[in-house]
C-alpha cells in the first residue's frame, strides 16, 4: 500500500486527449522525465494507485500528454480527469543529487539555534524571484541556501538558521 508520506505531488491530470487513452498532465515538477521511473502514482478516489507509463510527450514546459498502460479508451482516460499525480520520494532521492522543491512539501522545518520545530511545509511559493516555504499556519520562510543548514530526507526535516525576528513578521 502506498502511503501519502512516501510520495509528493507533481501535478494533476486534465482532459482526455484523442480516443486512444491519452490524457493531458499539468505538472509542476518534471522529475518523471529526469528520473527513470516506470510509473506515476494517482490519487483515485482517495486511494494512491500506481499507473505504469506507456509513453508521454511534452506539449510545452508545464503540460504533457500521457499514455498509461491499460488505459486504452477515451472513456477510461476521462475517468482519470482531475486526479492528483504523485511521484515516489524514494526514486527522487536516489536519483537526484539535489532535491526538487516540490519534494520538500511535507518536510518539517527545525530551527538550528534551539532545535524547535517551526512547522510543516504545505506548499512552495515560487511565483517571485525569492522562493518561499509556506507553512500550515500561513507563515512564509525564505527558501534561501544561506538559511538552510541541512536537509534530512530520512527524517523529512529541513534544519534552518532562522534569523531572529523573522517569525514575528
Amino acid at each position: 500500500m502506498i502511503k501519502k508520506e512516501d510520495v509528493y505531488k507533481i501535478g494533476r491530470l486534465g482532459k482526455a486527449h484523442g480516443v486512444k487513452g491519452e490524457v493531458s498532465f499539468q505538472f509542476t515538477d518534471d522529475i518523471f522525465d529526469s528520473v527513470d521511473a516506470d510509473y506515476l502514482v494517482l490519487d483515485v478516489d482517495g486511494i494512491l494507485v500506481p499507473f505504469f507509463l506507456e509513453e508521454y510527450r511534452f506539449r510545452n514546459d508545464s503540460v504533457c500528454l500521457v499514455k498509461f498502460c491499460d488505459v486504452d479508451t477515451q472513456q477510461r482516460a476521462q475517468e482519470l480527469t482531475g486526479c492528483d499525480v504523485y511521484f515516489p520520494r524514494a526514486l527522487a532521492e536516489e536519483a537526484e543529487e539535489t532535491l526538487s522543491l516540490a519534494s520538500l512539501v511535507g518536510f518539517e522545518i527545525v530551527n538550528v539555534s534551539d532545535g524547535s520545530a517551526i512547522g510543516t511545509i504545505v506548499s512552495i511559493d515560487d511565483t517571485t524571484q525569492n522562493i518561499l516555504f509556506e507553512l500550515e499556519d500561513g507563515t512564509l520562510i525564505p527558501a534561501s541556501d544561506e538559511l538552510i543548514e541541512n536537509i534530512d530526507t530520512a527524517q523529512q526535516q529541513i534544519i534552518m538558521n532562522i534569523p531572529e525576528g523573522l517569525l514575528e513578521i
Side-chain angles (χ1 to χ4, degrees):
M1 182 170 161
I2 299 172
K3 298 177 185 167
K4 198 84 161 193
E5 59 267 13
D6 295 335
V7 295
Y8 66 96
K9 186 175 176 181
I10 62 168
R12 185 179 197 99
L13 294 181
K15 297 180 191 177
H17 180 80
V19 295
K20 297 192 180 195
E22 279 187 314
V23 62
S24 66
F25 171 34
Q26 175 86 32
F27 57 89
T28 55
D29 188 341
D30 65 355
I31 183 96
F32 64 94
D33 188 46
S34 58
V35 172
D36 189 22
D38 297 329
Y39 66 95
L40 296 175
V41 178
L42 304 184
D43 183 338
V44 180
D45 297 327
I47 300 170
L48 297 175
V49 181
F51 277 76
F52 288 87
L53 293 165
E54 190 171 303
E55 64 182 9
Y56 60 89
R57 55 194 161 103
F58 289 93
R59 297 204 64 183
N60 59 42
D61 61 353
S62 63
V63 176
C64 70
L65 298 176
V66 177
K67 172 74 174 76
F68 292 110
C69 295
D70 300 324
V71 178
D72 296 323
T73 65
Q74 182 180 22
Q75 179 183 355
R76 180 67 180 115
Q78 286 173 335
E79 293 171 2
L80 300 176
T81 296
C83 287
D84 287 332
V85 180
Y86 296 85
F87 195 80
R89 287 186 189 276
L91 287 177
E93 290 168 5
E94 73 184 36
E96 283 197 45
E97 292 176 5
T98 58
L99 296 170
S100 70
L101 286 173
S103 70
L104 299 177
V105 171
F107 277 48
E108 179 181 50
I109 293 182
V110 176
N111 194 349
V112 72
S113 65
D114 61 5
S116 64
I118 306 301
T120 302
I121 300 170
V122 294
S123 71
I124 308 291
D125 181 351
D126 60 356
T127 57
T128 64
Q129 188 173 4
N130 296 317
I131 298 170
L132 301 169
F133 295 134
E134 182 179 353
L135 306 184
E136 70 272 6
D137 66 356
T139 302
L140 297 173
I141 297 180
S144 169
D145 289 339
E146 292 82 31
L147 300 180
I148 297 173
E149 296 285 328
N150 185 37
I151 298 176
D152 183 345
T153 56
Q155 297 292 319
Q156 291 193 347
Q157 290 183 331
I158 300 174
I159 312 304
M160 296 186 73
N161 187 6
I162 307 289
E164 194 171 318
L166 178 69
L167 299 176
E168 284 80 38
I169 296 177

